[in-house]
């Protein structure tokens, strides 16, 4: 489908403004995107928190340009792109996502996305993508400022969920290359949990399956915690098959430790980079093999009292394989994390 001819030379009048939709479930991501849009360009901005609402606004003419996330509840970005194509809706879509797998990029463009930008978005790259659509900036208006009422409020939980989303995507990109599969990504869960609540969360994720778990501590910048990676025992042999590895009693722990190094290392590296801190990883420990979640929690309850828990459930497309990564930050780390997130917002709010 050729580009929609919407962007001939325009003035900055309200009537001539181009409707632009920011469709992302994260209020932090929407705020970042709105702030990253070129100043004084003739845009009329709308927002949607999920794909279904985004489609409604596009059908109403409020999304001739769409900045679209891929990982969303209700309807993900791939489904939105497919629906735009199937209905022939007049929308130019720029995907801006934390899912940076090459297969995700290929699928998005195959479904009609005009460009694919990585989160957190670079303002110059976003301007370049808009220019590539044929849009031209309006003449600058001296003293003009961004409309503050457009900017959503951002809670710590939502901000940290978005940081985790970006880190999760980087880990998936690395894991997908190693296993040569497409990783289906969820919306991360972020909650402050007591040990009993953590047990229920893990039980919901893993059911009654027997599991094996790897734990790896991390510390740095006044922040400490443990990464807990949990595998269904039934999936380990399938993962070994993807790696063309023979699996026996001696190689089973080695395979788990190798996977933990890839997933945990990449995810924490992504968080460290965004927060501007350096997290040092300890040696991975095999917490339990072939045990139930109840047994795992009982053995480790003294380690996990109240904790800020980030839950990420990875699934391998076309395979009955999934596993859960839990990032468990100590209670004492929460104040420091809040401070780093607030500093991040302050820098964004005062960018030139």
């Amino acid at each position: 489908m050729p580009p929609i001819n919407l962007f001939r030379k325009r003035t900055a009048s309200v009537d001539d403004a181009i409707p632009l939709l920011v469709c992302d479930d994260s209020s932090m991501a929407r705020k970042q995107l709105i702030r990253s849009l070129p100043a004084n360009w003739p845009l009329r901005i709308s927002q949607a928190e999920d794909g279904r609402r985004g489609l409604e606004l596009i059908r109403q003419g409020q999304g001739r340009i769409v900045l679209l996330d891929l990982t969303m509840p209700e309807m993900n970005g791939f489904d939105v792109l497919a629906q735009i194509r199937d209905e022939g809706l007049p929308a130019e879509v720029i995907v801006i996502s934390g899912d940076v797998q090459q297969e995700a990029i290929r699928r998005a463009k195959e479904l009609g996305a005009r460009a694919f930008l990585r989160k957190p978005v670079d303002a110059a790259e976003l301007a370049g993508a808009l220019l590539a659509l044929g849009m031209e900036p309006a003449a600058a208006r001296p003293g003009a400022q961004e409309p503050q009422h457009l900017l959503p409020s951002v809670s710590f939980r939502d901000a940290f969920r978005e940081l985790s989303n970006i880190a999760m995507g980087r880990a998936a990109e690395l894991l997908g290359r190693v296993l040569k599969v497409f990783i289906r990504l969820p919306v991360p869960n972020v909650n402050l949990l007591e040990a009993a609540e953590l047990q229920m969360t893990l039980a919901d994720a893993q059911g009654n399956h027997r599991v094996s778990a790897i734990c790896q501590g991390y510390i740095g910048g006044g922040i400490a915690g443990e990464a807990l990676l949990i595998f269904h025992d039934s999936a380990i042999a399938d993962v070994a098959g993807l790696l063309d590895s023979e699996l026996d009693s001696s190689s089973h722990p080695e395979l788990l430790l190798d996977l933990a190094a890839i997933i945990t290392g990449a995810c924490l590296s992504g968080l460290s980079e965004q927060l501007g801190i350096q997290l040092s990883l300890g040696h991975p420990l095999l917490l339990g093999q072939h045990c139930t979640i109840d047994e795992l929690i009982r053995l480790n309850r003294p380690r996990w009292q109240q904790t800020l828990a980030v839950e990420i459930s990875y699934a391998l497309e076309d395979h009955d394989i999934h596993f859960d990564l839990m990032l468990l930050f100590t209670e004492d780390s929460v104040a420091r994390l809040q401070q780093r997130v607030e500093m991040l917002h302050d820098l964004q709010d005062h960018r030139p």
Side-chain angles (χ1 to χ4, degrees), residues 196-273:
E197 294 171 310
L198 176 61
Q199 181 174 357
M200 288 188 291
T201 297
L202 292 172
D204 286 343
Q206 297 295 333
N208 295 319
H209 296 279
R210 300 194 72 80
V211 299
S212 296
I214 300 289
C215 183
Q216 193 165 11
Y218 50 86
I219 190 168
I223 294 167
E226 293 180 307
L228 180 64
L229 191 61
I230 305 174
F231 297 89
H232 284 182
D233 282 355
S234 60
I236 301 302
D238 293 331
V239 173
L242 291 173
L243 293 170
D244 296 322
S245 300
E246 295 293 332
L247 188 66
D248 55 35
S249 58
S250 62
S251 61
H252 185 277
E254 183 178 348
L255 176 61
L256 293 178
L257 292 171
D258 288 344
L259 289 172
I262 293 170
I263 300 165
T264 303
C267 198
L268 286 173
S269 175
L271 273 178
S272 296
E273 181 181 331

Side-chain angles (χ1 to χ4, degrees), residues 10-326:
R10 294 175 179 267
T11 64
S13 69
V14 173
D15 292 339
D16 216 17
I18 298 166
L20 179 143
L21 172 66
V22 180
C23 185
D24 197 303
D25 61 302
S26 166
S27 59
M28 177 178 177
R30 296 197 306 276
K31 181 177 180 179
Q32 288 177 326
L33 285 173
I34 293 170
R35 285 204 170 279
S36 297
L37 288 166
N40 306 317
W41 282 31
L43 298 170
R44 186 172 69 253
I45 299 170
S46 301
Q47 301 177 51
E49 296 181 0
D50 60 66
R52 292 192 187 281
R53 177 58 179 161
L55 269 176
E56 291 176 6
L57 294 178
I58 294 169
R59 292 178 182 124
Q60 295 170 17
Q62 297 185 48
R64 305 304 292 272
I65 303 175
V66 182
L67 306 183
L68 179 68
D69 186 25
L70 291 180
T71 307
M72 295 184 292
E74 300 293 333
M75 176 180 278
N76 66 35
F78 295 116
D79 293 334
V80 172
L81 282 166
Q83 200 65 32
I84 289 172
R85 179 197 59 190
D86 293 347
E87 295 184 29
L89 298 173
E92 297 273 28
V93 180
I94 299 172
V95 168
I96 302 174
S97 178
D99 184 352
V100 293
Q101 299 175 81
Q102 286 302 309
E103 179 63 11
I105 297 171
R106 186 197 67 78
R107 291 183 186 187
K109 290 186 175 180
E110 186 178 69
L111 287 167
R114 301 300 182 193
F116 189 109
L117 304 180
R118 296 172 175 235
K119 286 183 173 182
V121 72
D122 178 82
E125 290 184 358
L126 179 56
L130 291 170
L131 287 169
L133 295 179
M135 185 173 180
E136 297 185 18
R141 303 191 307 277
Q145 296 181 348
E146 295 156 325
Q148 294 298 310
H149 69 278
L150 286 176
L151 300 176
S153 60
V154 181
S155 67
F156 167 74
R157 180 173 174 271
D158 183 81
F160 204 68
R161 183 166 60 91
E162 177 63 8
L163 297 179
S164 301
N165 173 62
I166 294 171
M168 168 190 75
R170 296 182 185 182
E173 193 276 333
L174 178 56
L175 182 65
R177 281 193 284 116
V178 171
L179 298 180
K180 299 181 178 61
V181 296
F182 182 64
I183 312 294
R184 296 198 305 270
L185 298 179
V187 176
N189 288 321
V190 177
N191 293 290
L192 193 63
L193 301 176
E194 303 287 347
E197 294 171 310
L198 176 61
Q199 181 174 357
M200 288 188 291
T201 297
L202 292 172
D204 286 343
Q206 297 295 333
N208 295 319
H209 296 279
R210 300 194 72 80
V211 299
S212 296
I214 300 289
C215 183
Q216 193 165 11
Y218 50 86
I219 190 168
I223 294 167
E226 293 180 307
L228 180 64
L229 191 61
I230 305 174
F231 297 89
H232 284 182
D233 282 355
S234 60
I236 301 302
D238 293 331
V239 173
L242 291 173
L243 293 170
D244 296 322
S245 300
E246 295 293 332
L247 188 66
D248 55 35
S249 58
S250 62
S251 61
H252 185 277
E254 183 178 348
L255 176 61
L256 293 178
L257 292 171
D258 288 344
L259 289 172
I262 293 170
I263 300 165
T264 303
C267 198
L268 286 173
S269 175
L271 273 178
S272 296
E273 181 181 331
Q274 294 177 85
L275 291 169
I277 58 175
Q278 184 62 50
L279 290 173
S280 298
L281 286 169
H283 293 293
L285 302 173
L286 190 59
L287 284 189
Q289 277 188 273
H290 320 304
C291 64
T292 65
I293 287 294
D294 286 343
E295 291 169 328
L296 184 66
I297 292 290
R298 179 176 54 80
L299 291 171
N300 296 279
R301 181 181 290 271
R303 304 154 66 98
W304 305 320
Q305 294 304 314
Q306 190 176 68
T307 179
L308 176 67
V310 179
E311 179 192 2
I312 301 169
S313 297
Y314 292 94
L316 278 57
E317 187 174 72
D318 298 326
H319 297 274
D320 188 19
I321 301 172
H322 76 273
F323 41 89
D324 290 281
L325 174 64
M326 301 285 292

